[in-house]
Amino acid sequence: SGRPDAIRETVQAEMRERMGVWELRVQLCRDLAKQPVEDPTVEWKEDEAPFQTVATLTAEPQDSWDEDRVRAVDEEMRFSVWTGLAAHRPLGNINRARRTAYQHSADFRARFNRCPLHEPAAKGLAAE
């Protein structure tokens, strides 16, 4: 109440004192009949496709809010699940629909902000 940036302020205070650790976990499709890629309404049972940790991200205590960095990330960068190794690209019709919507949004932001958007580029990574 009365704190429009309460979430940001709370996270900033916490991250100054604590290390952040996040696990990235995935379920691997083992049986297309039980884990269809094209039907997002089907629950993938954990006993048939258990979550596997593929990465752990660690952030040391830090100031998590910097106006210049926030502006650069929010206004000058584009993040897409389609930018990366072809073997890691998303599957399914929901993701195909997201691809067009995200590209449209990024193109609009670049025109509206009159600033080209930047994204990762490295050997082995394919940009859209």
Side-chain angles (χ1 to χ4, degrees):
S1 178
R3 292 180 54 213
D5 297 320
I7 294 173
R8 182 186 76 204
E9 293 164 358
T10 301
V11 169
Q12 185 177 18
E14 290 285 322
M15 291 304 294
R16 280 190 186 124
E17 305 294 324
R18 298 175 189 209
M19 179 171 28
V21 179
W22 297 267
E23 280 189 355
L24 300 180
R25 302 169 83 202
V26 300
Q27 284 180 288
L28 300 177
C29 179
R30 299 171 189 271
D31 181 341
L32 281 172
K34 293 180 179 180
Q35 296 119 17
V37 175
E38 296 297 340
D39 186 353
T41 66
V42 175
E43 178 185 357
W44 290 20
K45 306 286 186 196
E46 284 192 58
D47 60 332
E48 296 168 351
F51 281 95
Q52 296 183 13
T53 300
V54 294
T56 302
L57 302 177
T58 304
E60 296 295 328
Q62 60 188 286
D63 185 353
S64 63
W65 187 265
D66 174 76
E67 291 289 340
D68 291 336
R69 182 172 292 148
V70 168
R71 182 189 39 71
V73 170
D74 287 354
E75 303 301 334
E76 299 172 12
M77 295 185 80
R78 177 178 86 100
F79 298 92
S80 171
V81 297
W82 292 94
T83 303
L85 298 174
H88 297 169
R89 288 191 181 152
L91 301 173
N93 55 21
I94 297 296
N95 282 306
R96 285 190 294 279
R98 285 176 57 201
R99 182 178 190 173
T100 303
Y102 282 29
Q103 184 64 51
H104 176 75
S105 175
D107 292 345
F108 173 81
R109 284 180 50 226
R111 284 191 315 275
F112 183 81
N113 293 336
R114 295 186 179 104
C115 178
L117 296 176
H118 308 283
E119 59 184 89
K123 185 177 180 181
L125 294 181
E128 293 180 51

